[in-house]
Amino acid sequence: MSTTRAHTGRRRNEEVRQAILTAAFGLIAERRRPVTIEAIAHRAGVGKQTIYRWWPSKGAILLEAMTEHARVTVPIPDTGTLQGDFEEFLATTFRRAHEPETAAVLRTLMSEAQHDEQLSEMVNEFTARRRAELRTLLLRGRDRGELPADADVDLAVELAFGLLWYHVMLGWEPIGRAGAERLANALLRAATPG
Amino acid sequence: MSTTRAHTGRRRNEEVRQAILTAAFGLIAERRRPVTIEAIAHRAGVGKQTIYRWWPSKGAILLEAMTEHARVTVPIPDTGTLQGDFEEFLATTFRRAHEPETAAVLRTLMSEAQHDEQLSEMVNEFTARRRAELRTLLLRGRDRGELPADADVDLAVELAFGLLWYHVMLGWEPIGRAGAERLANALLRAATPG
Amino acid sequence: MSTTRAHTGRRRNEEVRQAILTAAFGLIAERRRPVTIEAIAHRAGVGKQTIYRWWPSKGAILLEAMTEHARVTVPIPDTGTLQGDFEEFLATTFRRAHEPETAAVLRTLMSEAQHDEQLSEMVNEFTARRRAELRTLLLRGRDRGELPADADVDLAVELAFGLLWYHVMLGWEPIGRAGAERLANALLRAATPG
Amino acid sequence: MSTTRAHTGRRRNEEVRQAILTAAFGLIAERRRPVTIEAIAHRAGVGKQTIYRWWPSKGAILLEAMTEHARVTVPIPDTGTLQGDFEEFLATTFRRAHEPETAAVLRTLMSEAQHDEQLSEMVNEFTARRRAELRTLLLRGRDRGELPADADVDLAVELAFGLLWYHVMLGWEPIGRAGAERLANALLRAATPG
DNA sequence: ACCTAATCGAGACGGTACGTCACGTCTTCGT
DNA sequence: ACGAAGACGTGACGTACCGTCTCGATTAGGT
């Protein structure tokens, strides 16, 4: 690589951090043979030590990259109706999660978490934040009376993300707008006690 | 190890096959540091080559073990009502999948599949068989008129297994009998078009 | 391979023995990657066990092949004069030992003997027989008075075979007729005390 | 092993190099079951990769060890007479080559060279250097008139080393001082045209 | 004329070593 | 002081052969 990038002396170099996140993301996305720390370091034009100084594991890098990625890109919709918001949320979320790069990173992340206690916990938190977003959306609807007071919001949330991850892990195609509509309907019914 | 076990000449030795499956299952369940092929071979009292002769990868061993495991243990219930059968199926399936050994194997299997094209396909088939079982159960109920003719059976199936895997991958606790009842109800509602 | 060759019931099958010796010789001569027992067995269209039943090691096969080879091909010359006989012997011996196949086998034989006590002894006997042949030739000349009674025949013999093996092991070119003449002269002088 | 030895960062670690050469030499000398790279690495307290980083093969290690060994230990004698120098050279050379460790290494070296083209060439160079030393000694004598101008110095040199290797490869006993004297005499006669 | 016993081709098996890859730690040296 | 470069000890990878074994077929020779 031999990237030429100014050293910054004794402060952490933000450019370097970005370079590493980008390299990791990029390598995963390319989906060639398993991504190694050495490959990331090389691609980022960085010494291995620089990586180990700031992250405990490969998964931690990915999680950080993923978190930044998510922050930028998931707005909570506001269409006026719960059905509309839900549908919009699902459509957006499924679409984004199935982008090839993102899907690859999510898969790797979950995969790494299976033999890394620490990472596992971090992934749990990551998914909890995603669930919280959807939960907020649904609670807002319930407060507006679009769902009964005893609706099982948490179950709907878990079913939604369960399906999402199931599809991602198995490498299925995205569900599309029509699918999102169908899914939103179904989950609202599921949440509504008989 | 120096296991004493009779050779079978030029035929495949079934005892050896069993020893390997058992060893693999056992090591995964113990959940110490990552399970290696060498550890499996050692535990089974077997040469590595014997493993590579019959399985292309660690995941393939686990899948075979899992498949045998599943064959023995998942009866399709028949309680007389769809709600009862569904609930029973979910309770059993969730309980079994959350047994520590099984959960560990499932996690590893899915994890390995993420960087192994071939295994990925085999896991897809494995999950398809599981879905087919539940699908049969639901279709039987629909044929008996317990679900409308236009019910979205496939969606319910995917939601069920999505939730199952989500829980397993994130290391959550099993849902219990009450949870199964709640889930069966919710999914039947989800499947029934508004 | 699937060689079709008649069984001989409970007697050793001579054809099989020949096939193995030939295969071993041939494979060595081809000078591709290291000759293995399995390769010999395959080439000879034979099971490994058949080889292990009759020979203790790869080297033993080669030695047997070499011994048969030598029996057929080294006549002791009789030209009438010691100088002539010696020269003839050297010319023939060097020429034969440098034939590519033979040289390869000799090299392998000596090489294998370095980590095989048993073979080492057998190679020692093999070389002793070769030395004895030359010794006989020289003693005959000494008895005819062509060498003084106190001539050091054994030294000449050892120098001759030392040179031969040195050339073979280092992969040098054969010495040719002129070289043989020069060598015979030199060794007769060497053997004759000052 | 868990040898504690300081790393040297991105420069080659000379201590490690020495440890490997010593370990290899030592293991060969012990003459137990065939010396493996893994055994050398273990004995030297070194990772296999460190060996493969610097040497292409086991033989290459031995050759390097042998070369260093030779540099230290073969002085060219100067007794005043050719006969004396030659005798001294032979006595020293045979004695040293028959030291158990050295003999074992030489045997292994020659043995390895038989299935390793690259090593074969390096061994050829090694032996050429040894011959050159003796050649220098004899030429000095010839220049002083102790040998005729048409003496066949090269033949004497080859006969000497041929005998040496023959003895070493066959595992014979060293020739001793008396043998060296006899040999020197014989070879000087051999070199002197009739 | 059978029956027994050894040979043979085949190849699965428990092993050992191979040479490679990536890991995470360490040192050096340039900026 | 930071950061690239990369040597180092470690350990698993998947492969190649080893020498032993069991199988099923084939056939010679003793009864």
Side-chain angles (χ1 to χ4, degrees), chain D residues 72-143:
Chain D
V72 187
T73 52
V74 186
I76 292 191
D78 193 353
T79 61
T81 69
L82 174 56
Q83 164 73 30
D85 289 352
F86 196 8
E87 195 182 311
E88 178 66 23
F89 182 94
L90 291 175
T92 304
T93 303
F94 272 73
R95 179 168 42 72
R96 292 201 45 65
H98 278 89
E99 281 165 12
E101 300 180 16
T102 312
V105 173
L106 289 175
R107 272 195 292 261
T108 308
L109 206 45
M110 191 59 91
S111 172
E112 294 284 323
Q114 300 315 317
H115 48 260
D116 181 341
E117 194 60 51
Q118 217 183 329
L119 181 60
S120 179
E121 202 146 319
M122 295 165 72
V123 167
N124 247 312
E125 283 164 29
F126 176 80
T127 56
R129 281 195 296 277
R130 299 301 140 250
R131 288 195 302 277
E133 293 169 6
L134 178 53
R135 197 163 179 279
T136 302
L137 188 154
L138 292 176
L139 289 179
R140 193 176 59 189
R142 192 179 65 178
D143 292 345

Side-chain angles (χ1 to χ4, degrees), chain C residues 31 34 107-108 110-115 117 120 123-124 127-128 131 152 155 157-163 165-172 182-183 185-187 189-194, chain D residues 31 34 107-108 110-115 117 120 123-124 127-128 131 152 155 157-163 165-172 182-183 185-187 189-194:
Chain C
R31 225 150 163 38
R107 273 194 290 260
T108 307
M110 190 59 91
S111 172
E112 293 283 322
Q114 301 313 317
H115 48 261
E117 195 60 51
S120 179
V123 167
N124 246 311
T127 57
R131 287 195 303 278
D152 197 340
L155 180 58
V157 169
E158 287 178 30
L159 284 171
F161 280 106
L163 190 71
W165 277 98
Y166 192 64
H167 283 192
V168 167
M169 295 299 283
L170 292 180
W172 289 12
R182 200 158 56 88
L183 179 57
N185 273 318
L187 289 180
R189 285 194 302 274
T192 309
Chain D
R31 223 147 168 39
R107 272 195 292 261
T108 308
M110 191 59 91
S111 172
E112 294 284 323
Q114 300 315 317
H115 48 260
E117 194 60 51
S120 179
V123 167
N124 247 312
T127 56
R131 288 195 302 277
D152 196 340
L155 180 59
V157 169
E158 287 178 31
L159 284 170
F161 280 106
L163 191 71
W165 278 98
Y166 192 63
H167 284 190
V168 166
M169 296 298 285
L170 291 179
W172 290 11
R182 202 157 55 90
L183 180 57
N185 273 318
L187 290 180
R189 284 194 303 275
T192 309

Side-chain angles (χ1 to χ4, degrees), chain C residues 37 60 98 164-165 182:
Chain C
I37 294 269
H98 278 89
L164 175 62
W165 277 98
R182 200 158 56 88

